[in-house]
Amino acid sequence: MSVLIDIILAILAVYLALQSLLAPRLTQSVFLFFAFGLALALAWIRLGAVDVAITEAAIAAGFLGVLFLDALRDFSPRGSEKKENLEAVQNALPKNNTKSLLLPGMALMLGLGLFLLIALEAVWKIPDGGGLTAAAEALLPESGVEHPVTAVLLNFRAYDTWLEIGVILLGLLAVFAVGGIKIYRKPVMATQDPLLRQVILFFTPVLFLFGAFLLYIGKTGPGGAFQAAVLWGAIGILLHLGGRPVFSMIPRWLGQLLLTIGLGFFLILGFLFIAGGATLFEYPPAHAGVLILIVETMAAISIAAALTAIFANLNQMNEGPNEIESTN
Amino acid sequence: MDGFFVIVIVFLLLNIALGLFRVWRGPKVADRLLTTQLFGTTGMAILLVLAGYLKELTLLNVAITFNVLAILLVIGLVQVWKNKKEETP
């Protein structure tokens, strides 16, 4: 009976993915992509991966949503001035030359083919007994948490998670590299709109509390640092939209501290473990639970700050050339 | 009882499929956004029914996540498109 749900979900997800790529208008693509995110979250739940479903819900519905809306505004022509800009950019681009594209194209094909072969080989080799599931389950009591996903992410494979926090910081650096660091100097101009003020006043504590709840529940069930970080990051985005850009209001050193504390604390903790005679990220089993919670909190703060900064910077980049000139 | 849950979920999923029509046509950005918000609400209903069907209460967290963040899209649309005078969203 439940096969019916799965069939509809599968058709819906594939259809939405195709349509969001093929839709003739950008607005259609963007909003079909939101619907795709919803279908994907439901599909993850049907596959039993509630952790991934929460992440998908948080990132697709929240963060990507505002980023896409922001990008959409840039791509929709605004008067003649914008069109001229677009034409200028198009003329500045090098003309397509089929000959010069042949070699890189072939190299790309070769690389992707090799990657596919390696991936196929990796999938082929997974043993019948469910891979490492049994090993992870056996060591669960020593990990300090009760939820296997959190145990793997924050304990058994902490190195990967540490690098992932770095990847988000790297994304922020890429935004800085393209647009310049401007977030620290935008003048604070609080919104006069009473409705928006009330919404922000109401949602800031709700988002904070629910984020903290997801962070803490990660110990025993689906949830954790990344999901909480998106919710906390949403606070920063809301405040930015309400005319109170967080990074303009706090001192510069505090902003930098918030952005790097997750990566830094994790690494310092790892080196302390090495100094204590263990290997990198090998928690002492007695204190593993508390340490994981602290690491997750720091990571969530950092990721939330990075998401806020990414949105703030991208949003600022689009506010006309004059403003960018004056704030540099 | 399980059959009832499945029928409700299928009905709600078909609702989303019908709503896609408005996303496809919706002349303005705001029409499309409202449809997406409706998807969010329908999705939450599906999640709640699924939570009862699969007997897994953690799905409620997914539903809350969807709902709490839905406000971000609306405010994002209003604020981001505010300065664009020529075309109302």
Side-chain angles (χ1 to χ4, degrees):
Chain A
M1 199 54 177
S2 61
V3 180
L4 201 58
I5 303 175
D6 297 344
I7 291 173
I8 295 180
L9 259 183
I11 293 173
L12 205 61
V14 174
Y15 173 80
L16 286 171
L18 270 179
Q19 285 303 323
S20 62
L21 284 175
L22 300 175
R25 299 186 58 178
L26 269 181
T27 43
Q28 289 171 341
S29 292
V30 165
F31 286 104
L32 285 171
F33 187 78
F34 297 156
F36 175 61
L38 175 69
L40 216 55
L42 289 173
W44 281 120
I45 284 171
R46 291 298 298 158
L47 290 170
V50 183
D51 287 270
V52 190
I54 298 179
T55 316
E56 177 70 34
I59 290 183
F63 186 62
L64 277 184
V66 278
L67 273 191
F68 272 142
L69 282 179
D70 192 46
L72 202 57
R73 182 190 62 166
D74 283 6
F75 278 102
S76 57
R78 167 166 50 178
S80 57
E81 164 209 347
K82 205 85 175 187
K83 249 175 210 161
E84 275 166 23
N85 280 352
L86 269 179
E87 275 164 18
V89 169
Q90 259 166 5
N91 289 335
L93 287 172
K95 292 277 172 291
N96 274 352
N97 191 339
T98 41
K99 250 184 209 166
S100 66
L101 279 177
L102 193 65
L103 209 64
M106 272 172 68
L108 188 67
M109 286 284 282
L110 202 69
L112 285 178
L114 265 178
F115 178 77
L116 266 183
L117 275 181
I118 294 170
L120 197 69
E121 206 257 345
V123 172
W124 212 256
K125 267 182 14 188
I126 287 180
D128 294 330
L132 295 168
T133 314
E137 295 270 343
L139 283 172
L140 201 54
E142 280 178 45
S143 70
V145 292
E146 292 152 41
H147 188 50
V149 176
T150 311
V152 170
L153 281 182
L154 266 300
N155 196 334
F156 304 150
R157 308 211 56 172
Y159 186 61
D160 284 354
T161 310
W162 178 68
L163 286 179
E164 270 172 46
I165 301 170
V167 164
I168 292 174
L169 208 58
L170 210 61
L172 178 65
L173 287 182
V175 173
F176 280 162
V178 173
I181 304 177
K182 297 185 298 290
I183 46 173
Y184 301 109
R185 304 197 191 159
K186 192 185 178 187
V188 179
M189 268 172 48
T191 177
Q192 301 300 317
D193 191 347
L195 187 63
L196 186 58
R197 286 179 70 93
Q198 283 306 314
V199 166
I200 292 174
L201 275 178
F202 177 74
F203 271 93
T204 302
V206 169
L207 284 167
F208 179 79
L209 272 181
F210 190 62
F213 167 75
L214 273 186
L215 185 73
Y216 186 72
I217 204 82
K219 202 175 171 186
T220 49
F226 282 84
Q227 291 91 332
V230 181
L231 285 159
W232 286 354
I235 300 176
I237 293 174
L238 265 187
L239 287 176
H240 180 89
L241 289 172
R244 287 199 174 274
V246 181
F247 284 94
S248 302
M249 290 160 54
I250 57 177
R252 188 174 177 149
W253 62 267
L254 187 59
Q256 288 166 340
L257 183 73
L258 285 178
L259 284 172
T260 49
I261 193 169
L263 204 65
F265 182 79
F266 214 162
L267 191 64
I268 290 169
L269 197 68
F271 279 124
L272 281 182
F273 291 152
I274 291 182
T279 57
L280 189 70
F281 302 135
E282 184 189 341
Y283 302 90
H287 307 290
V290 184
L291 284 174
I292 284 177
L293 197 62
I294 297 174
V295 164
E296 276 198 296
T297 314
M298 297 296 170
I301 291 173
S302 261
I303 298 167
L307 293 182
T308 308
I310 287 175
F311 176 76
N313 237 24
L314 287 176
N315 188 245
Q316 196 118 339
M317 231 186 262
N318 309 326
E319 288 187 353
N322 294 328
E323 197 163 337
I324 291 175
E325 221 60 61
S326 63
T327 47
N328 267 340
Chain B
M1 199 60 186
D2 278 1
F4 172 72
F5 281 141
V6 172
I7 289 169
V8 171
I9 292 170
V10 167
F11 174 73
L12 289 171
L13 276 175
L14 291 179
N15 254 338
I16 289 184
L18 270 183
L20 286 177
F21 181 66
R22 186 43 70 185
V23 176
W24 190 257
R25 277 201 51 200
K28 288 179 179 167
V29 178
D31 297 323
R32 301 203 166 96
L33 184 94
L34 276 181
T35 320
T36 323
Q37 295 290 313
L38 271 179
F39 286 173
T41 315
T42 317
M44 194 189 67
I46 294 176
L47 285 169
L48 294 181
V49 180
L50 261 180
Y53 175 51
L54 300 174
K55 309 265 185 312
E56 195 168 0
L57 288 179
T58 47
L59 296 192
L60 300 184
N61 289 346
V62 190
I64 302 177
T65 311
F66 254 118
N67 249 1
V68 168
L69 288 175
I71 191 72
L72 210 58
L73 269 187
V74 181
I75 293 190
L77 181 85
V78 175
Q79 288 302 102
V80 165
W81 289 67
K82 194 172 56 179
N83 300 324
K84 197 169 171 306
K85 294 279 189 297
E86 282 84 39
E87 183 197 334
T88 46

